[in-house]
């Protein structure tokens, strides 16, 4: 009985296809190569453009590249954010980045308002985006876009009712807001019987 159990692995080994060992080696080599490629992209995070080029299918690397390029080259940042969004279209941070890159010099740019809307639709309650996105939204021309007005009102209400620690962001948004957006912010504060922070 014990001999039969000991012979079982030998019998199964003889039944394996002759292609098994080369296939196993090939799969192992491919797995090792992919791991090295993944780790190489992570090791290059100090150079976001290079990390994104190496880790070409990783959206978070393209996002990092976009944020690093935003101040010096909005066009390069826009391309990086667009690439990140092709890989991960539900990333609210990517949409916010695209809105920031396209709206730096032209607040009437339709790409800016569409990207800003998508940032809200894909991550309305993302706490890391609430303040910077509100400040950007306050600067966008909302007079011809009912959706943007609704988003601005909803964001203000959210802060006033559920996130009072972010009221400072409302003060900042008010200071940089267009005249139309200032009136919206004032109306929301008046409706909540609160005063706009300095």
């Amino acid at each position: 009985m014990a001999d039969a159990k000991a012979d079982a692995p030998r019998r199964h080994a003889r039944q394996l296809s002759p292609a098994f060992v080369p296939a196993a080696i090939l799969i192992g080599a491919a797995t090792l190569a992919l791991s090295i490629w993944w780790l190489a992209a992570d090791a290059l995070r100090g150079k976001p453009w290079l990390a994104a080029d190496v880790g070409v299918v990783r959206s978070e690397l393209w996002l990092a590249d976009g944020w690093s390029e935003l101040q010096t080259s909005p066009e390069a940042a826009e391309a990086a954010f667009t690439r990140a969004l092709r890989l991960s279209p539900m990333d609210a941070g990517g949409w916010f980045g695209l809105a920031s890159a396209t709206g730096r010099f032209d607040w009437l740019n339709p790409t800016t308002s569409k990207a800003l809307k998508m940032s809200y639709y894909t991550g309305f309650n993302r706490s890391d985006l609430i303040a910077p996105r509100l400040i950007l939204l306050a600067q966008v021309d909302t007079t011809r876009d009912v959706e943007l007005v609704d988003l601005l009102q909803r964001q203000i209400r959210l802060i006033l009712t559920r996130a009072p620690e972010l009221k400072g962001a409302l003060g900042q948004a008010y200071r940089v807001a267009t005249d139309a957006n200032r009136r919206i912010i004032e109306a929301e504060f008046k409706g909540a019987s609160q005063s706009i922070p300095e």
Side-chain angles (χ1 to χ4, degrees):
M1 181 81 163
D3 289 336
K5 286 185 180 177
D7 287 339
R10 285 190 212 115
R11 263 185 305 181
H12 290 302
R14 281 187 233 121
Q15 292 173 355
L16 292 175
S17 167
F20 175 77
V21 172
I25 291 171
L26 184 63
I27 290 169
T31 303
L32 180 63
L34 285 171
S35 297
I36 291 170
W37 165 72
W38 192 273
L39 293 171
D42 281 339
L44 295 169
R45 284 189 185 260
K47 298 178 181 173
W49 60 271
L50 188 56
D53 282 342
V54 170
V56 68
V57 296
R58 294 177 57 189
S59 65
E60 80 276 9
L61 297 175
W62 288 107
L63 281 177
D65 182 35
W67 288 116
S68 71
E69 296 282 357
L70 189 58
Q71 297 302 318
T72 55
S73 176
E75 296 81 15
E78 180 181 352
F81 288 128
T82 301
R83 187 107 184 238
L85 288 167
R86 278 194 210 117
L87 297 168
S88 184
M90 295 304 290
D91 188 338
W95 287 110
F96 174 64
L98 182 61
S100 298
T102 56
R104 285 183 52 116
F105 304 111
D106 180 10
W107 296 115
L108 301 175
N109 186 334
T111 304
T112 303
S113 59
K114 289 176 187 174
L116 192 54
K117 287 178 198 177
M118 285 302 297
S119 178
Y120 276 104
Y121 296 148
T122 57
F124 186 81
N125 290 330
R126 267 196 48 187
S127 59
D128 61 323
L129 294 179
I130 290 176
R133 196 168 47 191
L134 177 65
I135 291 166
L136 180 63
L137 178 56
Q139 298 173 63
V140 173
D141 179 17
T142 60
T143 56
R144 290 175 274 156
D145 195 326
V146 178
E147 282 180 277
L148 288 176
V149 171
D150 181 55
L151 289 170
L152 180 59
Q153 291 170 331
R154 287 175 51 209
Q155 191 72 83
I156 294 167
R157 288 180 201 141
L158 173 78
I159 292 172
L160 292 176
T161 58
R162 295 188 203 143
E165 69 276 5
L166 294 172
K167 278 178 85 172
L170 285 171
Q172 285 179 295
Y174 183 76
R175 286 190 291 281
V176 298
T178 64
D179 291 337
N181 291 342
R182 280 185 182 201
R183 287 190 292 277
I184 293 169
I185 295 169
E186 289 166 356
E188 290 300 322
F189 270 91
K190 186 177 181 183
S193 300
Q194 296 186 36
S195 58
I196 300 170
E198 293 295 318

